[in-house]
């Protein structure tokens, strides 16, 4: 069978690129699951612990680092964010594709640890749309919006090192495109070595009879 293993997919993009809406739509299509990250950021209105993030204090987060429980972590706009190894294991064990919704430094760290990971960079259709979406959220102070816009510019530069660019113009279309990218990637010859080995030994066995 072609590529039985799930893929580790990193989805990055500046704040305001629409990662959450895209992923909600993508998960409706099924077949993959998102890791729940740990963070020291305060919950936004409506966010739940263990659903949106594992919210923790700096002390608790630093304890996770010291105990080697994080696959990667970074400090972003004054808060820690990180992927727990246990989250990736939980999803892989279920045979699903793992989606890590993380910023670019984390993406780079994952690629270094797991070279097979697929890196997808999400952008809104224009810079004007990005600024509009950031302000439109209305949950952040002006200072926080400015910090995120400055960080967005830095992140976009790093997007050049990613494998795929995905434009979030219309969310249903972008979710389908993400599914298509993953399907296509799974057909890469380099990702199907086991299949080739199986077929080769089968053919050899038949010929040898
Ligand atoms: P937010 O505060 O808007 O939820 O997230 C801020 C940024 O942190 C986003 O770019 C998000 O993708 C990133 N992020 C969330 N979880 C993680 C994580 O586990 N690791 C890393 N490196 N970045 C994360």
């Amino acid at each position: 069978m072609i590529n039985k293993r799930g893929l580790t997919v990193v989805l990055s993009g500046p704040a305001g690129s629409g990662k959450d809406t895209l992923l909600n739509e993508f998960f409706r299509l099924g077949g993959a699951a998102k890791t729940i990250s740990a963070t020291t950021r305060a919950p936004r209105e409506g966010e739940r612990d263990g659903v949106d993030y594992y919210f923790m204090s700096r002390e608790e987060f630093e304890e996770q680092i010291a105990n080697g429980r994080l696959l990667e972590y970074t400090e972003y706009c004054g808060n820690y964010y990180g992927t727990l190894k246990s989250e990736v294991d939980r999803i892989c064990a279920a045979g699903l594709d793992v989606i890590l919704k993380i910023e670019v430094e984390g993406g780079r760290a994952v690629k270094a640890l797991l070279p097979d990971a697929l890196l997808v960079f999400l952008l809104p259709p224009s810079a004007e749309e990005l600024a509009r979406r950031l302000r439109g959220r209305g949950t952040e102070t002006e200072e926080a919006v400015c910090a995120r816009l400055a960080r967005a510019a830095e992140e976009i530069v790093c997007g050049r090192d990613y494998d795929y660019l995905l434009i979030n113009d219309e969310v249903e279309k972008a979710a389908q495109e993400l599914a298509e990218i993953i399907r296509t990637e799974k057909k890469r010859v380099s990702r199907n070595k086991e299949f080739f080995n199986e077929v080769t030994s089968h053919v050899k066995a038949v010929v040898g009879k």
Side-chain angles (χ1 to χ4, degrees):
M1 190 188 153
I2 291 179
N3 216 329
K4 289 170 259 185
R5 281 177 312 168
L7 223 61
T8 301
V9 182
V10 169
L11 180 73
S12 300
S17 57
K19 297 185 291 282
D20 288 313
T21 5
L22 168 78
L23 285 182
N24 287 342
E25 181 61 25
F26 176 75
F27 291 131
R28 269 195 339 107
L29 305 174
K34 177 174 84 84
T35 52
I36 301 166
S37 291
T39 186
T40 58
R41 162 166 85 59
R44 292 191 188 117
E45 209 182 311
E47 283 184 334
R48 284 175 298 155
D49 186 41
V51 176
D52 300 286
Y53 279 106
Y54 297 112
F55 294 103
M56 49 182 77
S57 66
R58 285 189 83 82
E59 291 70 32
E60 286 169 323
F61 198 100
E62 281 165 2
E63 204 179 301
Q64 304 290 330
I65 300 172
N67 291 327
R69 296 206 189 105
L70 294 164
L71 177 68
E72 60 75 36
Y73 70 93
T74 194
E75 213 164 343
Y76 176 97
C77 296
N79 287 301
Y80 277 131
Y81 291 83
T83 310
L84 293 158
K85 289 178 184 164
S86 56
E87 279 293 297
V88 177
D89 294 345
R90 174 177 68 82
I91 298 167
C92 283
L96 296 170
D97 296 325
V98 184
I99 310 280
L100 306 179
K101 188 203 77 172
I102 61 180
E103 53 66 65
V104 289
E105 276 174 37
R108 227 182 255 151
V110 169
K111 189 77 180 177
L113 283 169
L114 311 169
D116 273 355
L118 173 68
L119 269 53
V120 180
F121 197 77
L122 185 68
L123 277 179
S126 67
E128 291 74 28
E129 179 62 14
L130 177 67
R132 196 190 65 76
R133 286 187 195 175
L134 261 179
R135 289 183 197 285
R137 183 147 68 187
T139 53
E140 319 278 335
T141 61
E142 185 59 24
E143 200 187 347
V145 170
C146 286
R148 277 165 186 265
L149 270 171
R151 173 72 194 213
E154 287 170 22
E155 290 207 59
I156 292 167
V157 172
C158 300
R160 289 165 200 237
D161 297 332
Y162 274 52
D163 299 313
Y164 284 89
L165 168 67
L166 186 59
I167 301 291
N168 193 5
D169 198 353
E170 206 245 298
V171 72
E172 286 85 6
K173 188 167 148 269
Q176 275 166 14
E177 280 177 9
L178 178 58
E180 220 171 277
I181 289 171
I182 294 173
R183 271 199 301 272
T184 305
E185 268 300 311
K186 285 186 172 177
K187 290 177 196 150
R188 244 181 222 284
V189 169
S190 59
R191 294 189 190 276
N192 287 285
K193 289 197 177 123
E194 274 176 37
F195 175 73
F196 274 89
N197 289 343
E198 263 171 46
V199 174
T200 309
S201 38
H202 209 83
V203 170
K204 276 185 180 163
V206 171
V207 170
K209 268 183 193 167

